[in-house]
Amino acid sequence: MKIVKLGTREYAPVFEEMKAFNANRTANTEDELWVVEHPAVFTQGLAGKPEHLLASSDIPVVQIDRGGQITYHGLGQLVVYTLIDFKRRKTSVRHIVSALENAIIATLAQYNIQSTNDPNRPGVYVGERKIASLGLRIKNGSVYHGLALNVNMDLEPFHQINPCGYAGLEMTQIADYVQPAPSLDEVADKLTAHLMRELVFQAA
């Protein structure tokens, strides 16, 4: 599995590149993890309901093809796109979701942040507050989109939406528990290492 660091990139072009990667991959295409940070954007999933956008602002709303409702991406949030051929790995999307959640939980544990997943709601939580979101798309036997982990960002835009469709859901981030907050690059290195370990057992 290859790790690709994209730096800070606008959301829409990366979304198009993900779709193209998935459409053009072959049986021999290596799986990739894309590590990226996006400027402020709301993304609305396939099942997204307009009423979950609670207030208008200058933050753009992009309609996309992953599952789920609306979420927010912004500077200081670590995004990892998981471009995985799950048929070749002889696994299931549920196992991939569990691997992503487990990798996030292990990463947070390195910062002494106790977190859990929720079988009824994808993502990772610290108490009742959500610290990481997941959203995947399955097409041509492969998975794309991925996870977003809040590191050190402005959380206010989450109040403009019902995050992931849940009214009143409060968000949190690593910086709420660790000072000084770690850099995005530091967290990315820890998280991708855990992702590589969590996903390797699923390889064919």
Side-chain angles (χ1 to χ4, degrees), residues 79-178:
V79 177
V80 181
Y81 293 122
T82 53
L83 307 177
I84 295 171
D85 184 334
F86 78 93
K87 283 190 174 179
R88 183 173 65 204
R89 287 176 175 266
K90 294 182 171 60
T91 185
S92 69
V93 174
R94 179 63 252 176
H95 286 153
I96 291 175
V97 168
S98 294
L100 302 189
E101 291 173 339
N102 290 341
I104 295 165
I105 291 167
T107 300
L108 293 172
Q110 291 186 268
Y111 295 104
N112 296 315
I113 300 171
Q114 185 175 357
S115 61
T116 60
N117 64 343
D118 182 334
N120 298 313
R121 301 182 295 179
V124 175
Y125 300 80
V126 180
E128 293 299 313
R129 299 199 292 173
K130 191 171 191 178
I131 196 167
S133 302
L134 305 181
L136 300 175
R137 166 73 168 170
I138 308 159
K139 193 171 183 180
N140 302 329
S142 298
V143 173
Y144 59 107
H145 292 290
L147 65 89
L149 172 60
N150 303 334
V151 178
N152 186 16
M153 63 188 299
D154 178 8
L155 296 175
E156 192 282 329
F158 283 107
H159 294 122
Q160 299 177 33
I161 62 175
N162 289 328
C164 305
Y166 292 97
L169 177 62
E170 288 294 323
M171 306 297 288
T172 191
Q173 59 184 332
I174 291 175
D176 292 340
Y177 308 94
V178 179

Side-chain angles (χ1 to χ4, degrees), residues 1 21 28-29 31 42 47 56-57 74 84 87 105 112 118 124 138 154 165 185-187 195:
M1 185 175 293
F21 179 94
N28 297 318
T29 301
D31 291 343
F42 294 120
S56 59
S57 70
I84 295 171
K87 283 190 174 179
I105 291 167
N112 296 315
D118 182 334
V124 175
I138 308 159
D154 178 8
D185 285 342
E186 177 187 311
V187 180
L195 286 169

Side-chain angles (χ1 to χ4, degrees), residues 11 15 19 43-50 52 62-71 135-139 144-145:
Y11 182 86
F15 174 42
K19 290 191 293 184
T43 61
Q44 181 79 278
L46 286 170
K49 298 178 180 179
H52 291 310
V62 179
Q63 304 295 323
I64 61 172
D65 62 351
R66 62 160 169 74
Q69 298 286 333
I70 192 168
T71 194
L136 300 175
R137 166 73 168 170
I138 308 159
K139 193 171 183 180
Y144 59 107
H145 292 290

